[in-house]
Amino acid sequence: MLKELEKTSLPIMSCSGTELPSDVRNSKVPTKKTKKEVMTQALSKFENVLTCIPDATVVLAHGGSFDFPYIIDILKKYPNTYTDISLQPSANIKQIINEVGSNRILFGTDYPFLNQAFSMLSVLRATTDEEERKNIFSDNAKKNIASLII
């Protein structure tokens, strides 16, 4: 199925990263079922997918959620991979910009889970110039994602 999706040249988007912080995941609070469901989005599982479809454009949403540091490794290793920054604080967005650049970051809010102002403010705090802001808020989606659909 992944190979067939790759042939369409359409971007593939998926939630990514675990939705619970590691200290909560490793505690007795969540049930085994909840832990198993949360781990279906683990970034390590996406490595197999990205290796199988190297020419596909893949958007890993939420910046890897609570597995944030791993998303930077994936972005460096797979050049057709993008992430959105919903859920991510400004320090994490800045780290992606410093290590990968602003050209593969898409604006996202995860609304209504988070107020849109959180994501907007996070980008504004993380960026140092207008080009980075334009890339994240608009140009990356227009140039790199929307152009594949049109």
Side-chain angles (χ1 to χ4, degrees), residues 59-64 71 75 81-85 96 104-106:
V59 180
L60 298 176
H62 312 302
I71 198 76
L75 291 170
T81 303
Y82 295 76
T83 190
D84 81 23
I85 51 77
I96 296 173
R104 295 192 5 242
I105 303 171
L106 303 170

Side-chain angles (χ1 to χ4, degrees), residues 1-12 53 56:
M1 181 178 85
L2 293 172
K3 285 292 191 188
E4 291 303 311
L5 285 171
E6 182 181 38
K7 289 177 190 175
T8 69
S9 297
L10 294 171
I12 302 166
I53 53 172

Side-chain angles (χ1 to χ4, degrees), residues 9-120:
S9 297
L10 294 171
I12 302 166
M13 185 173 191
S14 177
C15 289
S16 70
T18 53
E19 297 172 354
L20 297 172
S22 60
D23 58 335
V24 174
R25 261 193 333 260
N26 296 330
S27 73
K28 294 181 182 182
V29 174
T31 65
K32 284 184 182 181
K33 181 182 179 204
T34 301
K35 288 180 185 181
K36 185 177 180 182
E37 289 171 352
V38 165
M39 294 311 292
T40 61
Q41 297 175 183
L43 289 174
S44 59
K45 295 183 185 261
F46 283 100
E47 290 247 30
N48 294 334
V49 172
L50 296 170
T51 301
C52 290
I53 53 172
D55 296 325
T57 298
V58 178
V59 180
L60 298 176
H62 312 302
S65 297
F66 290 102
D67 297 332
F68 169 76
Y70 196 178
I71 198 76
I72 292 173
D73 295 336
I74 287 177
L75 291 170
K76 287 179 179 178
K77 191 172 180 181
Y78 301 97
N80 290 343
T81 303
Y82 295 76
T83 190
D84 81 23
I85 51 77
S86 61
L87 303 176
Q88 295 301 331
S90 59
N92 290 0
I93 298 167
K94 185 66 175 171
Q95 188 176 350
I96 296 173
I97 293 169
N98 289 340
E99 294 193 39
V100 181
S102 65
N103 293 338
R104 295 192 5 242
I105 303 171
L106 303 170
F107 179 72
T109 65
D110 205 23
Y111 179 82
F113 183 71
L114 287 179
N115 185 304
Q116 294 135 328
F118 171 83
S119 296
M120 293 172 75

